[in-house]
Amino acid sequence: MKKTGAQILCESLIKEGVEVIFGILGGAVLPIYDTFPQYPQLRHILVRHEQGAAHAADGYARVTHKAGVCIATSGPGATNLVTGIACAYMDSAPMVAITGQVATPVIGKDAFQETDITGITIPITKHNYLVTDVAELAKTIKEAFHIAQTGRPGPVLIDIPRDVQQEQTDFVYPDKLDLPSYKVVSRGHPAQIKKAAKLINEAEQPVIIAGRGIIISQAYDEFKKFAEKAQLPVAHTLLGLGSFPGNHILDLGMLGMHGIACANMAVQNADLLIAIGMRFDDRATGNTREFAPNARVIHIDIDPAEIGKNILTEVPVVGDVKSVLTALNEEIERREHGDWLSQIEQWRHEYPSLEIRQSDELLPQYIIHQIYEATQGDALLVTGVGQNQMWAAQHFVYTKPNSLISAGGLGPMGFELPAAMGVKVGRPEEVVWCVAGDGGFQMTIQELATLTQENIAVKIAIMNNGYLGMVRQWQELFYGRRYVDTKLWNPDFVKIAEAYDIPGIRVKRREEVIPAIQKAMEYPGAFLIDFLIEPEENVYPIVPPGESLARFFEPSRPEVLGGKL
Amino acid sequence: MGGKLTNTKHTLVALVEDKPGVLNRITSLFRRRSFNIQSLAVGGSEHPGLSRMTIVAVGDSAQIEQVRKQLDKLINVIKVSDITEEDMVDRELALIKVKATASTRSEIMQIVGIFRANIVDVAPGSLTVEVTGDEDKVNSLLGLLSDFGVKELSRTGRIALTRGSSS
């Protein structure tokens, strides 16, 4: 029986196990939307801006380990997806983005709402397609999901002209893939694994840098066994938080620009780094020339192009983290590393980065910590970008696997609300907290309407300091306190929430924090708390840009910034 | 970054799918990652539907390894290898339009003969020379002809294959 392109799309999505689509319609996707009522098993979530659709699909993907699907019309619909696609690309989240395109006869004629979205998204997708023949559609969708979800995951875009959505052909969903060039190495090379094990067995001051690859590979058990067997302390990249229990004795927390002092000190003094599923981002390494000067480096990653890209690697192991760690666990010896671990403990006491100062002010660190206390870590935290993100990374204890969802690579403000929406839709049984900044929150605030329309119970905590806070902090520390255009006039967020039929509460004082969090948790639906935090609170420690990780600044070490504070 | 940190010329050969937009994906990658490409030649291969691409890139060995790995990640790139260190045959074709007068024409023809190049067009004020060879050969001929005045020059860039029966 012949089916239209739109029907083929829907049936192929169902074959791929898709349950939810985030999108907004427009002229060039009308045939697809017209078909949706025939497929009630596909839940379409109508967002209010395409960026929201892409971030929601990204959030959904990160917690379900399945490709998130978003859909937008041609032209502006497609270009509005771009930030969300770029974000998923940087953070290796599987996504299939579907865009409508103008009809094939007018492609290239600058038709109304035409844009070359495949051209635009080449550098920010793992692959993309323009489907000009309906007979190619099913095969393309199969390939797209395979590419998006395997190896190092990433976004794939499929651009479908309107006439292709309407044309008919026989529908057969292919069993086999025809991708001769696409190879995924899953098992690490045995010789490399032996070499890595030898370095680990010989190391006196080893440190693991745990990245999101561990989470993507769902290698939590293998990783815990690995760290425990050889007593290897674990520092995390931002996105590696949630790969290892944050309350474990071997856990050091995040390293990098706003890394915990003991994590940075451990890395800088290590004789061996075991980098797992991470890519040596500059925010994690600081100045690469002075990074871990005495360390030999083992780098485990599924993407061979990450090996040697930023940091000289002595023993690369290309493969899936879970498979590589399983093999390594057989090869490594039990070790104690008593002296090294006590040295790290000493740093932890010497530089108590996580100590929240006693104050009557409403401190964001205290709020994040109270969200942790209230949930006992049994929650998924979705953050914005900037100070709120760093406080959330530092002061929540990520004891639950994959419990931090944050935009690490691209760093798009406004990620938090739509991503939290996607996370909650993907994991409805979990408590989902959206930690926002007052700046970023307004970049995607329109998705409050989606929360209400679709009954998505996200708890929103705005760290409202009336500033673009992280930029203000940089102006304070590195631009002579010249606060150029970082002060924000803000609307009344509680009234705004009420207008969207979401209850909210404003918190100005420390003693109101715990009751407010309780109230949010007890309320069955979405809830907003506008925390009016200390306006000029900074994120510490901070490694000044371009500096070595050892030169972290915190108020107890004024010498790093030449006494400036 | 390991290996040689001096900048050298590398020859990369890639087998790529002959589909719309593939060249764009490859050049977009070079631009985005700031890879320094000296020449790029593309045409048919022994496999129907696949093109062979020869890329001459300049960089240290770590940079070139990045080029190779990033190219290899492209879905439309079937295979890519750096054949610089291998035994290979490389050729380039150039068309050189050189100024020629009655008094210089025979001297030019003599040089062209020595290089086993061909004259493919003769006009009252010029000769067009076709030369095939490795880059050094083309450069030497060009050097000699430039004394007469080169009006136009078009070079294909390098194409290369490894020697022997292996593929």
Side-chain angles (χ1 to χ4, degrees):
Chain A
M1 197 183 126
K2 290 208 184 296
K3 300 214 152 113
T4 66
Q7 288 173 314
I8 290 170
L9 171 67
C10 292
E11 294 192 17
S12 302
L13 293 179
I14 292 164
K15 293 264 188 205
E16 289 296 335
V18 173
E19 292 166 359
V20 182
I21 302 168
F22 299 90
I24 262 208
L25 60 175
V29 286
L30 268 172
I32 296 172
Y33 276 80
D34 197 41
T35 312
F36 280 162
Q38 299 169 30
Y39 302 98
Q41 60 270 62
L42 291 173
R43 177 182 177 193
H44 178 263
I45 292 181
L46 175 66
V47 298
R48 294 300 184 274
H49 185 288
E50 290 84 355
Q51 184 187 349
H55 287 322
D58 181 347
Y60 179 90
R62 292 188 200 211
V63 294
T64 60
H65 301 282
K66 297 197 302 188
V69 178
C70 55
I71 182 164
T73 192
S74 64
T79 55
N80 279 346
L81 289 178
V82 166
T83 300
I85 295 172
C87 179
Y89 183 69
M90 288 289 267
D91 289 352
S92 310
M95 176 190 287
V96 173
I98 293 153
T99 49
Q101 181 54 279
V102 299
T104 46
V106 294
I107 288 180
K109 315 281 189 205
D110 300 322
F112 177 64
Q113 292 195 330
E114 179 184 1
T115 208
D116 172 20
I117 196 63
T118 45
I120 288 170
T121 55
I122 282 176
I124 53 165
T125 50
K126 197 169 166 188
H127 195 50
N128 64 23
Y129 297 89
L130 168 64
V131 183
T132 53
D133 178 357
V134 70
E136 295 283 305
L137 187 57
K139 169 184 179 286
T140 303
I141 295 165
K142 182 157 183 99
E143 286 182 14
F145 275 86
H146 181 70
I147 292 168
Q149 296 178 138
T150 55
R152 179 179 180 174
V156 177
L157 180 137
I158 311 173
D159 198 23
I160 313 174
R162 206 185 51 191
D163 54 332
V164 174
Q165 298 167 25
Q166 289 164 316
E167 275 162 19
Q168 296 197 342
T169 191
D170 292 318
F171 173 59
V172 187
Y173 202 62
D175 297 331
K176 283 193 182 134
L177 287 154
D178 177 27
L179 281 170
S181 71
Y182 183 74
K183 305 166 281 283
V184 175
V185 181
S186 57
R187 293 160 61 95
H189 195 285
Q192 293 301 99
I193 286 169
K194 282 215 159 21
K195 274 192 220 167
K198 184 163 184 289
L199 289 196
I200 294 165
N201 292 338
E202 287 170 4
E204 293 302 326
Q205 303 186 169
V207 178
I208 293 170
I209 304 181
R212 218 178 91 80
I214 299 163
I215 295 169
I216 293 171
S217 178
Q218 300 181 70
Y220 312 110
D221 295 342
E222 294 77 4
F223 180 45
K224 189 157 174 277
K225 189 176 166 194
F226 175 70
E228 285 178 343
K229 187 172 178 187
Q231 288 292 296
L232 306 164
V234 181
H236 298 263
T237 67
L238 170 64
L239 296 191
L241 292 167
S243 61
F244 187 76
N247 54 357
H248 196 287
I249 185 88
L250 289 168
D251 193 88
L252 309 179
M254 180 171 70
L255 88 159
M257 179 172 273
H258 295 294
I260 309 308
C262 70
N264 282 357
M265 291 299 282
V267 166
Q268 287 305 98
N269 290 282
D271 67 355
L272 177 68
L273 289 183
I274 308 148
I276 309 177
M278 56 83 76
R279 58 184 175 79
F280 294 103
D281 178 275
D282 57 285
R283 283 290 191 272
T285 62
N287 186 325
T288 50
R289 269 175 315 206
E290 293 167 46
F291 175 69
N294 307 316
R296 306 169 87 172
V297 179
I298 297 169
H299 190 181
I300 302 167
D301 202 283
I302 200 161
D303 181 356
E306 287 303 337
I307 307 295
K309 189 182 78 179
N310 295 333
I311 291 287
L312 172 70
T313 300
E314 185 171 335
V315 180
V317 187
V318 175
D320 177 64
V321 167
K322 190 172 196 154
S323 151
V324 171
L325 289 181
T326 304
L328 261 178
N329 283 339
E330 298 298 312
E331 301 281 338
I332 58 169
E333 293 161 8
R334 290 195 183 279
R335 293 287 304 267
E336 298 292 335
H337 299 303
D339 291 348
W340 174 229
L341 294 177
S342 49
Q343 169 64 67
I344 292 172
E345 275 314 299
Q346 204 177 317
W347 285 320
R348 209 195 288 265
H349 289 292
E350 200 175 333
Y351 309 109
S353 303
L354 293 178
E355 206 168 82
I356 301 168
R357 70 173 190 275
Q358 284 302 315
S359 165
D360 292 335
E361 297 157 334
L362 184 52
L363 296 178
Q365 300 91 333
Y366 174 78
I367 297 165
I368 299 289
H369 187 70
Q370 289 310 321
I371 295 176
Y372 169 70
E373 289 287 336
T375 57
Q376 282 301 298
D378 189 10
L380 307 181
L381 231 68
V382 187
T383 79
V385 171
Q387 286 184 319
N388 69 82
Q389 180 182 33
M390 292 299 113
W391 288 319
Q394 293 175 337
H395 293 277
F396 194 88
V397 189
Y398 296 92
T399 50
K400 192 183 171 82
N402 197 14
S403 48
L404 171 67
I405 290 83
S406 193
L410 186 73
M413 289 169 66
F415 173 82
E416 55 272 53
L417 184 58
M421 208 161 78
V423 166
K424 182 66 183 173
V425 169
R427 299 282 294 279
E429 73 286 3
E430 301 288 350
V431 173
V432 177
W433 276 90
C434 165
V435 176
D438 48 320
F441 189 59
Q442 291 179 89
M443 291 190 177
T444 48
I445 195 166
Q446 74 284 345
E447 300 308 334
L448 289 174
T450 312
L451 290 186
T452 300
Q453 185 162 354
E454 292 284 336
N455 259 318
I456 303 169
V458 168
K459 313 298 175 187
I460 302 160
I462 305 177
M463 303 292 126
N464 184 349
N465 53 13
Y467 281 110
L468 297 167
M470 186 59 92
V471 189
R472 186 209 56 75
Q473 177 172 343
W474 280 47
Q475 288 175 332
E476 176 187 336
L477 298 178
F478 311 122
Y479 291 85
R481 288 181 184 262
R482 294 182 296 279
Y483 294 172
V484 181
D485 291 333
T486 37
K487 183 97 186 101
L488 297 175
W489 174 88
N490 280 325
D492 182 328
F493 290 117
V494 175
K495 276 191 189 161
I496 287 209
E498 278 166 13
Y500 280 103
D501 209 15
I502 293 170
I505 189 169
R506 178 163 301 108
V507 171
K508 295 178 181 172
R509 284 193 300 273
R510 194 178 171 100
E511 59 270 23
E512 298 164 356
V513 170
I514 295 171
I517 293 170
Q518 284 307 337
K519 202 168 172 190
M521 303 264 286
E522 281 158 18
Y523 187 76
F527 196 93
L528 179 144
I529 311 174
D530 182 19
F531 289 104
L532 299 185
I533 62 167
E534 171 56 27
E536 299 202 16
E537 185 63 16
N538 284 337
V539 176
Y540 293 123
I542 179 170
V543 175
E547 292 280 0
S548 137
L549 289 188
R551 277 176 54 77
F552 57 89
F553 171 79
E554 49 188 20
S556 62
R557 299 179 88 207
E559 70 280 6
V560 174
L561 287 176
K564 262 189 281 174
L565 183 68
Chain B
M1 300 287 277
K4 287 177 285 184
L5 284 172
T6 45
N7 279 356
T8 48
K9 229 183 252 187
H10 289 252
T11 305
L12 293 130
V13 174
L15 206 57
V16 307
E17 288 180 297
D18 180 15
K19 282 186 181 169
V22 173
L23 186 61
N24 185 14
R25 288 177 199 279
I26 291 166
T27 52
S28 167
L29 176 69
F30 294 154
R31 176 193 52 78
R32 167 168 130 60
R33 301 224 178 240
S34 308
F35 294 147
N36 189 359
I37 296 303
Q38 202 171 63
S39 75
L40 190 154
V42 57
S45 75
E46 70 281 13
H47 305 285
L50 298 183
S51 305
R52 179 165 272 110
M53 196 175 267
T54 309
I55 300 148
V56 179
V58 181
D60 64 47
S61 51
Q63 288 166 334
I64 300 297
E65 184 60 2
Q66 260 295 300
V67 175
R68 195 192 62 72
K69 284 173 172 175
Q70 293 291 353
L71 276 175
D72 207 26
K73 275 170 74 170
L74 295 178
I75 307 293
N76 303 115
V77 173
I78 308 289
K79 192 184 169 190
V80 53
S81 8
D82 181 352
I83 62 167
T84 314
E85 302 291 319
E86 290 181 43
D87 193 10
M88 63 162 168
V89 189
D90 67 286
R91 289 291 179 270
E92 183 180 20
L93 185 140
L95 292 173
I96 311 163
K97 190 181 283 180
V98 60
K99 275 188 202 162
T101 60
S103 59
T104 59
R105 186 165 285 128
S106 63
E107 194 183 341
I108 293 169
M109 288 169 73
Q110 224 174 351
I111 294 168
V112 167
I114 294 166
F115 277 82
R116 276 180 284 171
N118 298 314
I119 289 166
V120 291
D121 186 52
V122 182
S126 69
L127 288 172
T128 301
V129 179
E130 172 207 314
V131 60
T132 306
D134 61 19
E135 237 166 75
D136 286 348
K137 177 178 166 184
V138 175
N139 286 343
S140 323
L141 176 60
L142 191 60
L144 291 170
L145 294 182
S146 64
D147 294 343
F148 303 95
V150 171
K151 290 160 75 88
E152 277 185 81
L153 168 69
S154 183
R155 299 175 74 151
T156 58
R158 184 186 295 180
I159 58 168
L161 288 179
T162 52
R163 287 182 193 271
S165 56
S166 65
S167 62

